[in-house]
Amino acid sequence: TLLVVHSSVGSIPPVTMPSVAVKAYAAVVYVYFFWVFCCLMAFLCELSVRVPELGAVFPYNINAGAADGVTLGPIATDVALMSVFVVQHLIMARGFFKRMYFSALPEDSERATFVLAASLSLHLLFHFWVPINHVIVSIPMLDVPALVVFTVGVLFVLAATFSLDHFELFGLRQAFFGVSKEIHFQSSGLYKFVRHPIMTGFFVTFWCTAHVTCGHLLFASYMSVFILLTVKFLEEPDLRRMLGPKYDEYMETTPSYCPMHMFGGGKKKSA
């Protein structure tokens, strides 16, 4: 997400509640979110196998359990679980949902509620994920290099959230300082090199593994397609409507995900 937007949707005044309750709610949600984010990274890199001592804290593993054949049942279950996450994002990010939310609950709690719902949907995915352990590619000698690049991807995601506004993105700033009416256009930091650096980092974490199973491929493919379609058909059209020529110029000079212009002697539009 390139924009940090603090604006009410519609003219319905938000319901108020004691600010301490909103602050406590947002803080608890943030702690839960951060644990879920760590679980996602552990899930993808099979941390509970690499470091069994951490299995009690981060117990989820994309390839955990007995090997399962490539059958319709596990595929359907895993696709359904990922679809819960997708539908949650698609619905709760839309204006109609925000209008309904603001008519019933405090505006400064909305982002924290979005983060809570996203975290719960990911937690559900981890908990009920059915492994599909048929191995497509396994190159043990690349395991350590792949893990290093994976770790870089994790750090890139986190750095990109701070390059935008980490505490705004996850609902803490709104809960503690209120919802601003300003729209901040971010094109510096990591956003100077790519338009969607958070997604760039996620692509790295999804795909960087030396041990590709059918389950891992399913997860990486589904989530990658979701990101690409959402950015192309929802997020960037919204940004262009809100920012006009400024964003059109940004699109022309800054690639979406891969900063290949850094190695090609000049900025140019790319995917």
Side-chain angles (χ1 to χ4, degrees), residues 9 87-105 110-111 113-114 117:
V9 178
V87 171
Q88 175 269 321
H89 271 66
L90 293 178
I91 291 176
M92 294 188 70
R94 299 297 94 200
F96 77 88
F97 179 87
K98 293 176 183 289
R99 286 190 291 272
M100 290 190 298
Y101 188 95
F102 296 157
S103 70
L105 294 166
E110 183 270 332
R111 186 63 188 178
T113 300
F114 178 94

Side-chain angles (χ1 to χ4, degrees), residues 1-4 33 37 151-170 186-203 250 256-257:
T1 52
L2 177 72
L3 284 177
V4 182
F33 146 75
F37 174 78
T151 303
V152 171
V154 175
L155 296 176
F156 197 86
V157 170
L158 292 174
T161 66
F162 282 100
S163 186
L164 185 61
D165 187 330
H166 179 87
F167 299 108
E168 180 86 35
L169 193 60
F170 299 111
Q186 176 62 284
S187 59
S188 59
L190 293 177
Y191 288 83
K192 180 179 180 180
F193 304 106
V194 290
R195 301 199 301 274
H196 307 285
I198 295 174
M199 303 312 172
T200 297
F202 275 124
F203 286 141
Y250 181 65
S256 297
Y257 309 106

Side-chain angles (χ1 to χ4, degrees), residues 74-84 129 218 222:
I75 293 173
T77 298
D78 294 343
V79 168
L81 291 168
M82 290 185 286
S83 297
V84 171
W129 180 264
L218 177 65
Y222 188 102

Side-chain angles (χ1 to χ4, degrees), residues 56-75:
V57 181
F58 308 113
Y60 304 111
N61 184 329
I62 196 167
N63 294 319
D68 290 301
V70 184
T71 59
L72 183 59
I75 293 173

Side-chain angles (χ1 to χ4, degrees), residues 109-128:
S109 70
E110 183 270 332
R111 186 63 188 178
T113 300
F114 178 94
V115 172
L116 175 61
S119 300
L120 286 169
S121 63
L122 274 180
H123 195 173
L124 181 75
L125 186 155
F126 306 147
H127 191 77
F128 292 103

